[in-house]
Amino acid sequence: MLSGELINSSQLMDEILHALKKKKPLSVISVGQTEAFVMAQYKVFTEKEFMQHREAYIANNGLKLRGISFPNIKARDAAVVAVRKADIVGYNTIVAPARKLTEKVFKAYDIKPEWIFESNIRRVIMFSQKEKFRDMLRNRKILLIGSLAKDARKALQKNLQDKLGFKIVDAIPIYSYKEIPRIKKKISDYNFDLCLLGAGVNAVILAPYIARTHGKVAFDIGFGMKSLITGKVVTDSWITEIIGLKKLFKM
């Protein structure tokens, strides 16, 4: 495991709430397997190795939305800079293949986050830390960014807006790394307290930019964006077969 301080979901929410209360910038990101793979290009993997990898095949053939195609040196460099600037960094600390890749990438770049957390808690944090998560939203001006942003806005407005009194200033879709310059310009148009992102490596790149440039709290909630829509935990084989939902809820 990386040498930074490992914090749990309650502590993570405490840091977010503190930053919001004090109006301090804060960026919370997560380096998953895809994000680590982006950073590994030509540094950990040769071009032949990463172009023959399953992640590159999935992304380049559009089998799943990755928001990037390979090779992509600009995205790699932007991700490395962003991770260095991020305040709190999540990654998969439990599932061995993802953990080893991320730790290998961080070692290659000498990246040493001060605070780390198990990235998969983002899938359950709106349930396991329900009251703190709602406090995060309460009476805030919120910007949503991600492929599911518009659907998340509808769900939040329908289910929680009357109870919590927040205002969603906009929901900005993003599907590709190429859109980042346009998104950055668009962000400048809004007055907001909190930005929730679910956009893979593009969220990793954008969150520290939002915190540093605009002085706001930016939280890369990943698959948690879908949870806001469905009201259910988004699971996969890693969670159901290796980690376990009960364990995640306790983390």
Side-chain angles (χ1 to χ4, degrees):
M1 186 177 291
L2 299 176
S3 57
E5 181 182 350
L6 180 66
I7 61 175
N8 61 31
S9 58
S10 179
Q11 292 169 316
L12 175 58
M13 289 306 310
D14 286 343
E15 292 300 325
I16 292 171
L17 290 170
H18 177 76
L20 287 166
K21 182 179 179 180
K22 297 296 183 180
K23 297 187 182 301
K24 290 184 175 182
L26 181 75
S27 56
V28 180
I29 66 167
S30 182
V31 179
Q33 185 163 267
T34 301
E35 292 76 33
F37 187 76
V38 171
M39 297 168 69
Q41 295 176 88
Y42 300 107
K43 187 74 172 182
V44 174
F45 296 142
T46 66
E47 182 172 304
K48 182 178 180 180
E49 286 173 331
F50 72 74
M51 288 304 291
Q52 290 180 347
H53 195 280
R54 181 173 175 269
E55 279 292 334
Y57 180 81
I58 288 172
N60 289 355
N61 288 278
L63 301 182
K64 293 182 181 178
L65 181 61
R66 291 293 192 248
I68 190 173
S69 59
F70 296 93
N72 196 320
I73 302 305
K74 288 185 178 181
R76 179 200 68 183
D77 293 346
V80 171
V81 169
V83 175
R84 290 190 192 282
K85 291 181 177 179
D87 297 300
I88 305 177
V89 179
Y91 79 108
N92 196 318
T93 64
I94 300 173
V95 180
R99 184 189 73 242
K100 290 177 180 178
L101 174 58
T102 303
E103 292 179 350
K104 191 172 184 179
V105 166
F106 281 16
K107 183 177 180 180
Y109 288 103
D110 194 30
I111 293 173
K112 299 175 180 178
E114 182 179 356
W115 287 338
I116 59 177
F117 66 94
E118 164 53 49
S119 63
N120 282 293
I121 66 175
R122 299 176 306 158
R123 295 175 182 248
V124 304
I125 199 166
M126 59 285 300
F127 309 113
S128 65
Q129 299 296 324
K130 181 178 177 180
E131 292 308 314
K132 290 182 179 182
F133 194 89
R134 291 191 173 191
D135 282 345
M136 177 185 73
L137 301 178
R138 185 172 282 109
N139 298 323
R140 312 290 183 195
K141 293 186 289 291
I142 303 168
L143 179 64
L144 303 175
I145 299 176
S147 61
L148 299 175
K150 289 185 180 295
D151 288 338
R153 175 174 60 184
K154 291 178 183 177
L156 286 169
Q157 288 175 335
K158 178 183 177 181
N159 299 325
L160 292 174
Q161 190 170 48
D162 288 345
K163 297 177 184 177
L164 303 180
F166 55 76
K167 178 183 179 182
I168 298 178
V169 300
D170 204 355
I172 308 174
I174 180 172
Y175 304 100
S176 169
Y177 169 75
K178 296 177 182 177
E179 297 178 87
I180 285 183
R182 176 182 65 83
I183 300 297
K184 285 183 175 181
K185 288 182 181 179
K186 197 168 179 64
I187 289 169
S188 300
D189 294 338
Y190 302 105
N191 177 25
F192 61 97
D193 307 304
L194 168 69
C195 181
L196 299 179
L197 306 98
V201 69
N202 299 312
V204 169
I205 294 168
L206 284 169
Y209 166 82
I210 292 167
R212 296 287 183 106
T213 303
H214 297 282
K216 307 300 183 182
V217 175
F219 184 10
D220 166 18
I221 63 171
F223 280 108
M225 189 75 79
K226 189 171 183 180
S227 296
L228 295 179
I229 298 167
T230 64
K232 299 177 181 179
V233 179
V234 180
T235 61
D236 57 22
S237 59
W238 282 1
I239 291 176
T240 56
E241 298 172 15
I242 301 175
I243 302 173
L245 270 180
K246 287 185 179 179
K247 184 173 184 178
L248 273 186
F249 268 81
K250 292 178 181 178
M251 294 185 74

